[in-house]
Amino acid sequence: MTSTVAAPAAPWGAVWGQDDAVALLQDAASDPARTAHAWLITGPPGSGRSTLAYAFAAALIAEPGDEQAMRQVLAGTHPDLTSLRTEGVIITIKDARALVERSYFAPSLGRYRVIVMEDADRMAERTSNVLLKALEEPPAQTVWILCAPSDADLLPTIRSRVRVLRLNEPDISEVARLISARTGADPVLAEQSARHAQRHIGMAQRLATDAASRERRDQTLQAVLGVRGVGDAVEVAAQIVQAATDDAKALTAERDEAERAQLLRTFGVAEGAAVPPAVRSQLNALEDEQKRRATRSLRDGIDRVLTDLQSMFRDILLLQFGRTGDLINREYEQQLRGAAETWTAERTLVIVDRIAQTRRNLEQNVAPTLALESMLVTVASGRTL
């Protein structure tokens, strides 16, 4: 792992903190004998899995030194790159079958055809089965690159057909230096953001540059610490869902409107004019896709809140065991110490387990408000329902 912000040469310039992985993939891209037909890049959120996957794809597809082709791959416009980043809750069988179909095409311009599947952990078992044969017996010039937080997030049948590359998790100080260099943020704020984001580079950058995000996080932690009963649990759960909903809308509204306008322009429909019946089905399909994306964005936002809550109750547990030097939320130490002295470590462990279970429940499409209410009742009482 590197401790500097310096980046390797093209196409690896955007990859940070993963020198060993870059060296291994550079070697694989340079020699067909060392290139596996399928790879799985794993690492925690924010570790740069997708960034590394596309850099590797560029190195595989482009001839050495062909920076124009590399830029095409990195921009997602090269004809020999097929990628899938689901913006829904799961990867559908239809999407997986489309990838498999493309994987059997010979490369048109580059050295390889590369299939990148981000969020491979979002495949249901039936979807995973669609990939098995393609991963086991791909054409000689096709390389699959899957990305997931952990190899345990995929079925054993998938894991047995890929070469796993596990990424390093950078230190907080390294993430802080990177954020400060990228954004010009004050080093103290960059360190706090890296710590609160738990090394997630994208989230750390957002916290360092968006005061509203920092305020929402602070308000959520304070609200949860103040939960004392069922009434508080219901109120705070609604607040969390509303904040996550507003955040998701802010992130997607501009894009949704631009996509709608582009679709109407493509079909020659003037702004403000009635939508012809022949175009309405296309518009309805776009709106359905946008709704799925909004659902994903909302659930990701709530999961981020739950991650923050896990960090807070983990800090309380550390204080209960007499450890103070490794707190994630050290700005709240006085309040956390008060909670640590009020109840037992056993109760804190029950809460931590309940938060983890709530995250799993949300992955199974449990209603967010009900899941959060149940979890916050456990926070208030120390008991599960």
Side-chain angles (χ1 to χ4, degrees), residues 44-280:
S47 59
R49 300 185 305 255
S50 300
T51 301
L52 184 62
Y54 287 109
F56 184 34
L60 287 168
I61 292 171
E63 295 289 345
D66 187 351
E67 293 196 8
Q68 181 177 354
M70 293 178 188
R71 285 194 295 271
Q72 280 186 289
V73 176
L74 295 176
T77 59
H78 197 285
D80 293 326
L81 171 71
T82 302
S83 61
L84 173 63
R85 178 185 183 185
T86 180
E87 293 182 322
V89 176
I90 62 170
I91 294 175
T92 66
I93 289 180
K94 178 182 177 181
D95 291 336
R97 284 175 176 159
L99 286 188
V100 170
E101 181 180 346
R102 294 288 297 178
S103 74
Y104 289 105
F105 292 4
S108 57
L109 297 175
R111 298 186 300 152
Y112 292 92
R113 176 165 297 281
V114 179
I115 313 294
V116 176
M117 178 184 278
E118 303 183 45
D119 307 312
D121 55 304
R122 293 182 181 266
M123 289 189 292
E125 183 172 353
R126 289 191 307 158
T127 308
S128 297
N129 290 334
V130 171
L131 296 186
L132 290 179
K133 184 174 177 60
L135 290 176
E136 188 172 31
E137 301 174 358
Q141 290 180 282
T142 293
V143 176
W144 285 80
I145 307 174
L146 311 182
C147 301
S150 166
D151 54 347
D153 294 319
L154 277 71
L155 294 178
T157 48
I158 294 288
R159 299 200 300 266
S160 67
R161 289 164 170 81
V162 299
R163 179 173 176 182
V164 179
L165 175 60
R166 296 178 177 85
L167 301 188
N168 296 320
E169 186 171 8
D171 292 335
I172 288 173
S173 60
E174 294 176 321
V175 175
R177 282 195 292 272
L178 175 69
I179 298 305
S180 186
R182 281 184 177 178
T183 68
D186 176 80
V188 174
L189 176 59
E191 188 277 337
Q192 175 186 296
S193 300
R195 181 163 33 83
H196 287 178
Q198 299 177 67
R199 303 180 179 87
H200 188 300
I201 295 170
M203 183 55 62
Q205 185 163 319
R206 187 178 182 192
L207 288 173
T209 57
D210 185 0
S213 293
R214 297 195 297 273
E215 184 178 355
R216 279 194 298 273
R217 184 183 189 276
D218 177 70
Q219 289 174 345
T220 299
L221 297 189
Q222 300 282 4
V224 171
L225 281 173
V227 170
R228 295 292 182 269
V230 174
D232 291 340
V234 171
E235 182 179 349
V236 173
Q239 291 173 2
I240 292 173
V241 172
Q242 186 60 54
T245 300
D246 293 342
D247 205 27
K249 287 180 179 178
L251 291 172
T252 60
E254 184 176 346
R255 178 179 174 183
D256 288 351
E257 185 57 36
E259 289 176 342
R260 188 180 192 279
Q262 177 61 44
L263 177 65
L264 294 178
R265 283 197 301 270
T266 299
F267 286 99
V269 180
E271 184 177 353
V275 178
V279 179
R280 199 165 295 141

Side-chain angles (χ1 to χ4, degrees), residues 1 16-17 20 24 73 76 93 146 154 170 184 189 222 243 290 296 313 333 341 346 363 369:
M1 185 190 306
W16 175 84
D20 292 343
L24 188 151
V73 176
I93 289 180
L146 311 182
L154 277 71
L189 176 59
Q222 300 282 4
Q290 290 175 343
R296 162 78 183 271
F313 286 101
E333 181 174 349
E341 294 170 353
E346 288 76 14
E363 290 176 358
T369 301

